[in-house]
Amino acid sequence: MALAYSKKKILVAALIALVVLGAIGGIAAGVYSGVNRDRYGGYVYEAGTNLPLAGVAVTNGRDVVRTDERGHYVLDGWLKRRFITVSIPSGYWTERYYIEAGAARDGYDFYLDKRDTDDTDHTFLQVTDTEINDESEVTDWVDGIRQTAQDTDAAFIMHTGDICYEQGLKRHIREMNTDNMGVPVRYAIGNHDYVKWGKYSEDLFESTYGPVNYSFDIGQIHYVVTAIGYGDYAARYKQSDVWRWLANDLAAADPAKKVVVFNHTFCPDENGFTVRYGTHKLDLKQKNLLAWVFGHWHYNYLNEIDGIFNISTGKADSGDIDSTPAAIRTVGIQGGQLARSELIYRNYEPQAVQDGAKWSVQVGGHGEFAEPIFGSGKIYVGTVDDGYPKQCGLYALDAETGETVWSYRTRNSIRNSFAISNNRLYAQDVEGRVYCLDADSGAEIWTYETGIREAANTGLNVLYDESGIDGRIYCGGPQRTYCLSAADGSVIWDADNARANCSPTRMVIVDNRLFVGSHWDELICYDKNTGKRLWANDRDGLRYRTTTPTVLSDGRMIVAAETKLFELDYGTGKIVRMRDVGINLDTASAPYVADGVGYFSTAKDGVVAFRLSDFEQLHAFRTGNSMIYTSPYTSGEIATVEGTIVPYGDDMVFGASDGWLYRLERRELHRIEKFYVGAPVLSSLCVQGDDVVAIDFLGRVTRVSMR
């Protein structure tokens, strides 16, 4: 009997312990169970007149109800509820759109100001991933956002997250809020905005910025702001909570309105736009989704899938992870449609090309990392457009006159280098779509769509290799690399690398090895014939790299990563030696090597020469200050050179972000000649005899002698 009683006590104690541990663990992880039997009620009125507003949605963060003809609503309680929040209808606005849900069960009343403007057509700004801290210099770029909001008569500014960390969250709202920006400012929570502060990881964000999930209408658009649902610390509101609330919000919304979703990252199903929670599925295509607007990936990108837009923007204050230029995005709405999107680039004021060019012509889009190619009396260029409607494409220009021979409009941007062989041009856009065109006429021969993620795009180049029996094309992205038949685009092999991020680094072929890299990942060596991974290296900072390796004739691989220079054994990937040279080398370039010296483009200091035997710095040449910011996390008075330096007889030439083309003598890097094209040059130059051809950021192609 005593033994049975003892076992019973032990069992009860164990059950109690499990309940307590579960409760503690649930709180720590933001998991809540049980029932909240509170009820919350109130009214929604028009401010000034106190007229009741019927049909207005109100939420507790999960459930959504609409007001009756008296403007009255009643909401059940919810254990995770923090606020009672009103969804602002078209024609109204308020900064007091949420009320802390306390002990009171009634009196949660909202007063909405009636707007006297027609918002059917309007513009909003997207800013994202500003990642400030207590010491960050923010005044100048905030001033730029304020000026852009005034210039575009923006209806609101949306910050899509990563504000960032505790000090950033506390400071950012002081720097950028509705009062000091002159237009309404709204925020979404990013993964770095989940911090160890208060009762749970979203507590500081909610205490400072309000709900993590909310909505409002402007004109014919229903805007929805949603939490990413995960971050540096465990989320209180899981993704299932977010999607459940989203489903309820959209069920209460006007079905005639188009929907724009703001989130810190892209839709989990970025092609099908479907989200799942528990056993439920929410198909956003059936809910009039117009666009999913996000940040997180730190690049400028816009694509359209069956009338629905993925829209991503990089940092406004500096260059970004894949060398995306610093920018603010404007989005123009006409009725229920996306009419336009434009990127306003930091510090960018293009000027005219100076006199003396053989010719200078404008093509559609702007130039980034795809250098011009000469062939068969033509200059070929590819262009970028991260806005809408798109103007990007491939162009063939008469090499003597600059006149357009043909143009081909690509679905999306040609951001990196392309290839020409056997009278065929091979190129890839940022969605991973590969094009094979007739180089003489621009006629399409074949296209192939690689299987990279749409929103997590590619900046990778296209390589043509004819060393085998048949010509082969290497393409895709660092996430998924492809080898295609040059004849018809059929797949020979493909290899996955799910970790990879987009980057302007380029694939390189040496012997039977294909080298593929990405920023924030690793450098990989594949067997070019089979796709077998031979080695990979991400050690000692080698993974933080936008540059392309150069393999020397003796098998040594030279590669730059951040402020470090590496020598690798190209056969094994092992680091032979490494030196921190204290100069930021993160550019979209490869080392130019001559006579035992490596000439490197830099992010902040122009061009620098290092002796390759010991990585000792020899000489440097500083260009003018950059007109735009591209190299990751760089800004201020910096002298950026993105393109690879190329030989020009015994000298060398390159373009810079200050809008100048330079010719330097090689021994001590003295300047011999320079020519002003008036806009940043991010790619390498094409040398044709005494002339060089450059494509600049404005989309101008210029041919000039550097003698």
Side-chain angles (χ1 to χ4, degrees):
M1 195 69 174
L3 182 59
Y5 177 70
S6 178
K7 286 182 177 179
K8 185 176 180 180
K9 284 202 299 183
I10 291 170
L11 179 59
V12 170
L15 289 171
I16 292 172
L18 286 171
V19 170
V20 171
L21 286 172
I24 294 172
I27 293 170
V31 177
Y32 294 75
S33 58
V35 178
N36 184 317
R37 302 189 184 280
D38 290 342
R39 291 171 70 83
Y40 299 90
Y43 293 83
V44 180
Y45 299 108
E46 181 179 288
T49 65
N50 286 348
L51 291 174
L53 297 177
V56 177
V58 185
T59 180
N60 59 11
R62 182 190 66 182
D63 308 310
V64 181
V65 298
R66 298 174 67 177
T67 57
D68 61 20
E69 67 279 358
R70 299 175 300 144
H72 185 252
Y73 70 91
V74 176
L75 274 163
D76 290 333
W78 180 46
L79 282 172
K80 295 186 186 181
R81 61 98 187 93
R82 171 75 182 264
F83 303 106
I84 304 300
T85 305
V86 65
S87 181
I88 306 170
S90 293
Y92 291 89
W93 197 256
T94 182
E95 289 300 304
R96 191 173 181 268
Y97 61 96
Y98 59 92
I99 302 172
E100 191 95 21
R105 300 187 181 185
D106 293 304
Y108 292 88
D109 300 338
F110 295 94
Y111 295 83
L112 309 183
D113 296 312
K114 190 170 181 59
R115 293 172 58 87
D116 56 3
T117 57
D118 181 0
D119 294 322
T120 303
D121 299 343
H122 62 274
T123 298
F124 69 84
L125 307 187
Q126 183 203 7
V127 180
T128 192
D129 293 85
T130 45
E131 297 184 345
I132 72 169
N133 57 50
D134 200 39
E135 292 79 29
S136 296
E137 293 293 334
V138 299
T139 305
D140 58 345
W141 60 262
V142 169
D143 289 344
I145 297 169
R146 184 184 297 108
Q147 186 62 53
T148 302
Q150 294 173 5
D151 293 344
T152 58
D153 192 25
F156 64 96
I157 299 169
M158 185 70 219
H159 190 302
T160 48
D162 273 8
I163 299 168
C164 142
Y165 307 124
E166 182 176 338
Q167 294 305 316
L169 285 162
K170 291 177 178 178
R171 183 180 178 188
H172 209 293
I173 194 66
R174 302 197 306 268
E175 304 289 346
M176 199 172 85
N177 57 61
T178 296
D179 289 338
N180 63 24
M181 299 304 288
V183 299
V185 178
R186 294 291 183 265
Y187 287 85
I189 189 170
N191 56 292
H192 293 318
D193 303 328
Y194 291 77
V195 298
K196 191 176 182 179
W197 187 95
K199 297 179 180 178
Y200 50 88
S201 63
E202 298 98 323
D203 196 347
L204 179 56
F205 181 95
E206 289 188 316
S207 298
T208 309
Y209 300 89
V212 296
N213 299 309
Y214 57 98
S215 63
F216 54 89
D217 290 359
I218 295 180
Q220 297 177 23
I221 306 295
H222 181 62
Y223 292 101
V224 187
V225 183
T226 54
I228 187 172
Y230 59 88
D232 295 347
Y233 292 87
R236 182 191 197 197
Y237 312 103
K238 303 300 183 184
Q239 281 192 325
S240 59
D241 295 323
V242 177
W243 306 142
R244 185 182 301 277
W245 171 81
L246 177 61
N248 292 336
D249 175 86
L250 295 179
D254 183 347
K257 291 185 183 293
K258 290 294 184 70
V259 174
V260 173
V261 175
F262 296 111
N263 193 286
H264 183 56
T265 192
F266 56 69
C267 179
D269 176 10
E270 67 267 17
N271 296 309
F273 300 101
T274 297
V275 296
R276 299 176 184 274
Y277 56 100
T279 59
H280 302 279
K281 179 176 74 173
L282 175 62
D283 187 343
L284 295 170
K285 299 186 297 297
Q286 303 303 315
K287 295 294 183 179
N288 273 348
L289 181 66
L290 174 64
W292 187 289
V293 184
F294 59 99
H296 188 51
W297 295 94
H298 292 236
Y299 49 61
N300 300 324
Y301 178 77
L302 184 150
N303 79 328
E304 182 181 2
I305 302 173
D306 298 328
I308 299 174
F309 296 89
N310 280 306
I311 301 175
S312 173
T313 305
K315 292 168 66 62
D317 55 325
S318 71
D320 228 324
I321 290 173
D322 73 337
S323 303
T324 280
I328 305 159
R329 184 180 291 277
T330 70
V331 178
I333 299 293
Q334 289 184 357
Q337 299 301 319
L338 192 151
R340 66 193 180 281
S341 180
E342 182 182 0
L343 289 163
I344 309 300
Y345 297 99
R346 179 87 183 281
N347 287 0
Y348 179 49
E349 296 181 3
Q351 308 295 320
V353 177
Q354 77 172 65
D355 293 337
K358 180 172 286 189
W359 51 259
S360 185
V361 298
Q362 181 85 50
V363 296
H366 65 264
E368 288 199 9
F369 307 121
E371 71 272 11
I373 296 178
F374 174 81
S376 302
K378 303 179 189 67
I379 298 293
Y380 300 91
V381 295
T383 63
V384 169
D385 190 344
D386 294 317
Y388 182 83
K390 291 191 175 295
Q391 300 295 317
C392 50
L394 292 158
Y395 299 83
L397 309 177
D398 185 284
E400 293 303 315
T401 66
E403 294 180 359
T404 300
V405 178
W406 58 257
S407 62
Y408 178 93
R409 182 61 52 83
T410 52
R411 281 277 300 276
N412 218 319
S413 300
I414 306 297
R415 192 162 189 249
N416 214 326
S417 63
F418 50 96
I420 296 177
S421 183
N422 299 323
N423 206 41
R424 289 186 174 191
L425 184 152
Y426 304 93
Q428 176 176 247
D429 69 21
V430 294
E431 294 181 35
R433 189 174 293 104
V434 184
Y435 305 85
C436 174
L437 309 181
D438 183 288
D440 279 339
S441 66
E444 181 182 300
I445 298 173
W446 56 259
T447 63
Y448 177 77
E449 296 195 21
T450 63
I452 65 169
R453 297 197 303 266
E454 290 283 5
N457 67 80
T458 179
L460 213 58
N461 60 319
V462 167
L463 272 179
Y464 178 84
D465 180 38
E466 57 187 2
S467 60
I469 297 174
D470 300 312
R472 294 186 174 189
I473 296 298
Y474 296 90
C475 55
Q479 300 165 344
R480 192 171 181 183
T481 305
Y482 286 79
C483 174
L484 306 181
S485 165
D488 58 11
S490 58
V491 177
I492 297 172
W493 61 257
D494 64 272
D496 283 323
N497 176 31
R499 293 171 47 189
N501 268 310
C502 181
S503 169
T505 184
R506 297 180 179 184
M507 295 181 289
V508 176
I509 290 177
V510 178
D511 299 328
N512 287 320
R513 291 174 171 83
L514 173 71
F515 301 98
V516 181
S518 69
H519 198 26
W520 287 24
D521 185 37
E522 58 189 353
L523 177 61
I524 306 170
C525 176
Y526 293 110
D527 182 309
K528 75 170 188 179
N529 296 313
T530 66
K532 179 183 178 181
R533 179 183 286 219
L534 302 178
W535 58 259
N537 196 329
D538 63 358
R539 298 176 60 84
D540 298 323
L542 190 60
R543 63 187 290 253
Y544 299 107
R545 177 183 50 81
T546 61
T547 60
T548 299
T550 292
V551 179
L552 307 182
S553 58
D554 59 5
R556 290 183 296 155
M557 174 181 282
I558 305 298
V559 61
E562 292 189 311
T563 62
K564 297 176 181 178
L565 285 177
F566 293 84
E567 178 187 321
L568 276 64
D569 182 312
Y570 95 118
T572 65
K574 292 182 178 179
I575 297 173
V576 177
R577 58 195 175 92
M578 177 270 289
R579 182 171 182 175
D580 192 327
V581 297
I583 296 173
N584 188 330
L585 302 168
D586 261 344
T587 62
S589 66
Y592 164 52
V593 176
D595 299 329
V597 177
Y599 300 91
F600 292 81
S601 304
T602 77
K604 298 181 178 181
D605 300 289
V607 171
V608 179
F610 293 94
R611 188 168 52 227
L612 295 183
S613 59
D614 56 7
F615 292 152
E616 187 70 27
Q617 180 178 332
L618 299 176
H619 304 287
F621 176 85
R622 183 182 175 87
T623 61
N625 288 338
S626 301
M627 299 174 73
I628 57 173
Y629 303 141
T630 50
S631 180
Y633 294 98
T634 60
S635 62
E637 295 186 356
I638 57 175
T640 304
V641 177
E642 287 281 7
T644 298
I645 300 159
V646 295
Y648 184 83
D650 292 332
D651 302 321
M652 58 191 199
V653 289
F654 60 91
S657 290
D658 62 358
W660 289 87
L661 311 181
Y662 292 91
R663 175 188 171 193
L664 305 183
E665 64 83 28
R666 209 160 26 91
R667 288 181 179 272
E668 296 183 354
L669 301 187
H670 293 314
R671 180 174 62 82
I672 298 173
E673 186 61 84
K674 69 175 183 176
F675 187 88
Y676 191 56
V677 295
V681 176
L682 305 181
S683 71
S684 301
L685 304 182
C686 172
V687 176
Q688 186 61 29
D690 287 344
D691 294 347
V692 298
V693 180
I695 182 168
D696 66 33
F697 194 68
L698 190 61
R700 289 180 303 213
V701 186
T702 302
R703 179 169 181 170
V704 62
S705 173
M706 294 297 285
R707 290 293 177 191

